[in-house]
Amino acid sequence: MKLARNAQTLAEIADLVEYAFDKPQSLLNDPLFLTRYDHADAYGVRQENKLTNLVMANHFESQFFQQRLKMAGVGYVASYPEYRGKGQISNIMTELLSDLYAQGVAISQLAPFSAAFYRQFGYEFTSHQKTYRISAQAFTNLTSECNGTIKRGSWYQLKPTICSLYQKLLPGQVGTVVREAWWWERLDKYYDRRFYAVAFNDANVAKGYLIYRMQGATFVIDEFAYEDDFAVRKLLTYVKAHISSFKEIVYHGPANEILEHYFSEQQELSCTLSPYMMSRIIDIEQLFTHILLDQAKIVLEVTEDEQCPWNIGSWQLEQGTCKKVDQPGELKASIQSWSELLLGDLTLAEGLFLGKVTATKKFETEIFPKGQQRFYDYF
């Protein structure tokens, strides 16, 4: 059930989260937790006169090519150990997804502790991280960018510029969070000693930014955002200015990042790809309505979706319209596979090869548009 907002409920939620996630301090005095709570809907189950199971969902917007869709970030999925494995979280998720659909929310995202656990609720990996580990020595062969300038400052000094750049880079991305002011502020406070730098070209126009931390012998890059090649080179030159103090630079970037191409001695860096966030489509009609396919007319079918049965069936897409029809789909997939195809980087050819998608005819080209994704957020 959806939990009421009052002091007693907040205290119960805090107790459960503290135990389930081994929090050493009371969350009732933690502003980072309270901002999440203040901007969330909480769902739970009470047994024996106490809150025993919990799911929280924050409301955001997510970029979907040129449009923005309502998105729910699910987190703090928690149960006391003696109440686990009894299907209560499943009941909560079904109720939550139904409520989100009624509110016009199109998709949901979460950071999984177990992919198998969340896959049963219709989620699938759509976001991956490319982790760079770059030795300080690698920067000695990096050509410095002498044009333009770098401005380093506090979050409050550079906030307008960084927020504006972030918004400017959103169109064409898929799944990236459209950050509201409260979320930006929370991100700044979540990490200790974060530093900020912005790259400006010779016309004094901001073209990229860097958010980073300095941890012992490691220079940690939290965000590396850029509009053009100049910004990449200028920001890397700024990182290069720090190498006398660090042995290694570590950056967890988006899967489509290409920083390795800026280093002539690539053997001095390593790149690894790992799954990050899972997504699930709550309202398939919304996504089908907003997607531009390389087909004049096509019927797509959702074969299974236990928690969101309104998605099941065949959908005819034609000239920017979408309607449910009573005929077999030319392409068929589960809601998990549709989430990968529409929100992730899975191609149609890959989906067909892996057996995640079935087709009634041969498709010679990729019909689903693929946007980039710059996802640094965590729920």
Side-chain angles (χ1 to χ4, degrees), residues 100-343:
L100 291 173
Y101 175 69
Q103 296 166 22
V105 177
I107 62 175
S108 173
Q109 295 179 331
L110 54 80
F113 70 89
S114 164
F117 179 79
Y118 287 108
R119 200 170 278 123
Q120 66 181 316
F121 304 127
Y123 289 83
E124 191 50 82
F125 280 112
T126 55
S127 174
H128 294 76
Q129 281 188 332
K130 189 174 184 180
T131 297
Y132 288 87
R133 294 189 176 276
I134 310 172
S135 70
Q137 181 65 28
F139 280 85
T140 60
N141 298 306
L142 181 79
T143 303
S144 296
E145 175 55 65
C146 298
N147 296 317
T149 57
I150 288 284
K151 182 176 181 180
R152 180 177 60 84
S154 69
W155 165 241
Y156 292 103
Q157 290 171 326
L158 297 178
K159 175 171 64 172
T161 304
I162 290 175
C163 291
S164 177
L165 268 170
Y166 184 89
Q167 294 291 110
K168 188 176 181 181
L169 295 171
L170 281 173
Q173 296 186 39
V174 176
T176 305
V177 177
V178 180
R179 293 175 177 169
E180 297 180 16
W182 75 271
W183 188 248
W184 273 114
E185 297 298 325
R186 186 181 185 278
L187 290 173
D188 176 61
K189 293 178 174 62
Y190 189 83
Y191 300 95
D192 291 331
R193 290 182 53 77
R194 256 187 162 190
F195 297 91
Y196 302 85
V198 177
F200 293 83
N201 63 15
D202 286 332
N204 202 35
V205 177
K207 289 295 182 178
Y209 70 82
L210 194 71
I211 301 177
Y212 62 98
R213 291 170 288 150
M214 297 183 288
Q215 298 183 329
T218 304
F219 188 100
V220 179
I221 298 175
D222 290 327
E223 296 190 26
F224 193 120
Y226 48 86
E227 189 176 351
D228 56 20
D229 172 68
F230 157 78
V232 179
R233 290 183 280 106
K234 193 64 180 176
L235 291 171
L236 286 175
T237 301
Y238 177 73
V239 176
K240 180 181 178 180
H242 293 78
I243 62 172
S244 62
S245 303
F246 300 96
K247 294 182 178 180
E248 185 180 46
I249 290 81
V250 175
Y251 169 41
H252 302 290
N256 51 30
E257 188 61 271
I258 56 171
L259 293 189
E260 60 270 26
H261 294 285
Y262 289 86
F263 293 86
S264 59
E265 301 295 332
Q266 293 187 16
Q267 73 274 12
E268 294 177 347
L269 56 87
S270 68
C271 306
T272 57
L273 197 65
S274 57
Y276 186 46
M277 301 291 284
M278 298 181 82
S279 303
R280 81 102 71 214
I281 298 170
I282 296 174
D283 186 351
I284 195 79
E285 186 176 6
Q286 278 202 57
L287 269 71
F288 281 162
T289 301
H290 289 108
I291 200 166
L292 296 176
L293 298 180
D294 188 22
Q295 299 279 313
K297 180 179 177 180
I298 192 171
V299 177
L300 307 176
E301 184 175 343
V302 180
T303 57
E304 54 184 281
D305 189 346
E306 184 176 345
Q307 282 75 29
C308 302
W310 49 84
N311 289 327
I312 298 174
S314 296
W315 302 85
Q316 179 178 290
L317 281 63
E318 183 178 15
Q319 298 179 341
T321 65
C322 174
K323 66 177 181 180
K324 211 162 193 179
V325 294
D326 187 20
Q327 65 185 84
E330 296 166 71
L331 288 171
K332 301 180 181 183
S334 67
I335 198 64
Q336 290 93 339
S337 296
W338 282 119
S339 296
E340 283 189 277
L341 278 167
L342 302 182
L343 301 175

Side-chain angles (χ1 to χ4, degrees), residues 64-83:
F64 188 68
F65 298 103
Q66 302 303 314
Q67 298 83 27
R68 293 179 179 181
L69 302 176
K70 289 183 178 181
M71 186 267 285
V74 172
Y76 290 124
V77 179
S79 301
Y80 285 117
E82 63 269 32
Y83 295 98

